[in-house]
Amino acid sequence: RTMDVDPNTLYQIALEGTNFSHNNGVGGFHETSGASWTIGSMVAQTAGIPLKTPEGLDDWQNGYGKDGVFLPGATTLTSVLSDAGYYTTLMVGSDANFGGRKVYYTTHGADHVYDIYTARKDGIVPKDYFVWWGMEDLHLFEYAKQKIDILSKNAEPFAFTMLTVDTHHIGGYQCAYCDESESGETYDQSISCSSRQVLDFLEWLQAQPFWENTTVIITGDHCSMDKGYFNRNVDGDYDRHIYNCFINAAAEPYQTKNRQFSALDMFPTTLAAMGCTIEGDRLGLGTNLFSDKKTLCELYGFETLDWELQKRSEFYNDRFLGLNEE
């Protein structure tokens, strides 16, 4: 059904869906080591492990995948779904090679990766189009509708992941849909505009014939990079967390409020939301939040978990990176 919500806020969308929260209201998850930047969080949320930097990598944030593989020993959301017969895709509005995102997804079986370059070829934007990091989200959402419509008509189920960007950097991006008459800073306008576009896209999905058998997950990657904005506008003692919302989930949550969790827990939780049964309700270092199992954050405390995630791991190097293979 179409949700009766304020179109200016993701907060209202979270109230309508399932939001796992660190408090009694709408909240989110901790930002942990190995998941505090975009590709790190993408790995944590889809593989249940932190992203650790191989020795000799000079760009610890974005230099991954240049040798053609990315965490070849890891089991990821994409590989699980691909093995189950899903057609899996990733769509970004920038260069998909940045941060090793394309290599990460294709290493684990993604069927197609869309980005600014494929958008040019497909006529979404002009052949020489480039703003900010590629193309703004207003084009990304239209591109997503086009591809999802095609995917939905195929025989196999599909998993479509897209990464919006207009609110990602300091100050946000002011697109043609932003309302400059709104009060506040330009970042407020970018956030409000992004929320409206997410809601419009969600309502488009709800109107499609495949909706009843589709789960939608909206999540952030890390806390906003615009620390100055929050210093100016939010109480100094406010503990920032990362947004999540599960819509049309095929599972009922045991407890959604006053949880302590991280991006690691999104891996099994995503599969559970799709209707998967997970033995032991754990995958990697993540716990299925729909279950009654406690997360590692809840068992050991956030500070202890974060400290452990920072340690060197021979198992990680051998199993996931394949550094010590003969």
Side-chain angles (χ1 to χ4, degrees):
R1 66 188 177 87
T2 300
M3 295 183 298
D4 182 19
V5 302
D6 178 356
N8 292 316
T9 174
L10 287 168
Y11 180 92
Q12 295 294 333
I13 296 176
L15 291 176
E16 290 279 337
T18 298
N19 165 250
F20 293 98
S21 174
H22 64 291
N23 57 29
N24 283 318
V26 172
F29 55 88
H30 286 286
E31 183 179 278
T32 55
S33 296
S36 60
W37 71 106
T38 299
I39 186 58
S41 184
M42 292 173 76
V43 167
Q45 293 195 46
T46 59
I49 58 175
L51 181 54
K52 291 184 173 293
T53 307
E55 293 181 4
L57 188 69
D58 55 0
D59 184 354
W60 70 271
Q61 282 195 322
N62 298 305
Y64 303 91
K66 292 183 178 179
D67 58 353
V69 293
F70 194 149
L71 293 175
T75 297
T76 74
L77 178 65
T78 303
S79 58
V80 170
L81 295 179
S82 293
D83 289 346
Y86 278 71
Y87 191 95
T88 58
T89 66
L90 170 70
M91 178 178 285
V92 301
S94 54
D95 180 351
N97 289 303
F98 183 75
R101 296 171 298 185
K102 182 175 182 178
V103 176
Y104 176 63
Y105 273 79
T106 55
T107 294
H108 299 284
D111 294 286
H112 209 107
V113 175
Y114 303 99
D115 65 359
I116 179 63
Y117 300 112
T118 64
R120 291 174 180 173
K121 292 179 181 178
D122 290 338
I124 299 297
V125 292
K127 294 189 181 301
D128 60 349
Y129 194 84
F130 200 94
V131 299
W132 213 30
W133 283 359
M135 64 181 182
E136 58 269 60
D137 292 342
L138 64 89
H139 296 298
L140 186 77
F141 281 114
E142 291 306 312
Y143 198 19
K145 290 177 184 178
Q146 179 190 104
K147 294 304 180 183
I148 289 174
D149 183 60
I150 295 171
L151 291 174
S152 70
K153 292 178 171 61
N154 294 333
E156 68 265 50
F158 67 90
F160 185 91
T161 299
M162 62 184 294
L163 186 69
T164 63
V165 76
D166 283 4
T167 61
H168 188 263
H169 210 266
I170 297 169
Y173 181 80
Q174 301 292 292
C175 78
Y177 291 170
C178 286
D179 186 354
E180 295 182 1
S181 68
E182 291 182 335
S183 60
E185 301 183 24
T186 56
Y187 199 35
D188 290 294
Q189 297 166 12
S190 292
I191 293 172
S192 179
C193 181
S194 179
S195 296
R196 290 194 297 270
Q197 292 186 69
V198 169
L199 180 60
D200 288 345
F201 182 65
L202 183 57
E203 290 183 334
W204 177 84
L205 289 170
Q206 290 172 322
Q208 305 310 304
F210 56 80
W211 170 251
E212 289 188 5
N213 194 33
T214 299
T215 298
V216 175
I217 300 170
I218 308 171
T219 179
D221 51 357
H222 51 74
C223 291
S224 169
M225 298 172 67
D226 198 339
K227 295 181 180 179
Y229 169 85
F230 289 92
N231 290 337
R232 293 188 297 273
N233 295 284
V234 179
D235 291 339
D237 59 351
Y238 179 74
D239 187 11
R240 291 197 288 154
H241 286 66
I242 301 163
Y243 182 92
N244 71 92
C245 182
F246 295 76
I247 303 163
N248 230 17
E252 290 295 326
Y254 177 78
Q255 178 186 346
T256 60
K257 305 304 179 185
N258 297 305
R259 302 296 307 269
Q260 298 297 314
F261 60 110
S262 72
L264 301 166
D265 301 303
M266 293 294 287
F267 177 30
T269 305
T270 295
L271 287 168
M274 296 174 64
C276 297
T277 300
I278 303 167
E279 184 178 354
D281 286 308
R282 301 189 195 278
L283 291 173
L285 298 176
T287 302
N288 172 17
L289 294 169
F290 284 95
S291 74
D292 60 356
K293 298 289 193 302
K294 290 186 177 181
T295 67
L296 296 183
C297 276
E298 291 167 333
L299 287 172
Y300 303 110
F302 167 70
E303 291 185 358
T304 297
L305 173 62
D306 197 55
W307 176 250
E308 292 296 326
L309 292 175
Q310 296 176 46
K311 293 181 178 179
R312 175 182 172 83
S313 169
E314 289 296 334
F315 177 85
Y316 188 102
N317 291 340
D318 293 346
R319 179 68 176 270
F320 305 133
L321 295 176
L323 294 182
N324 297 326
E325 293 182 348
E326 295 296 327

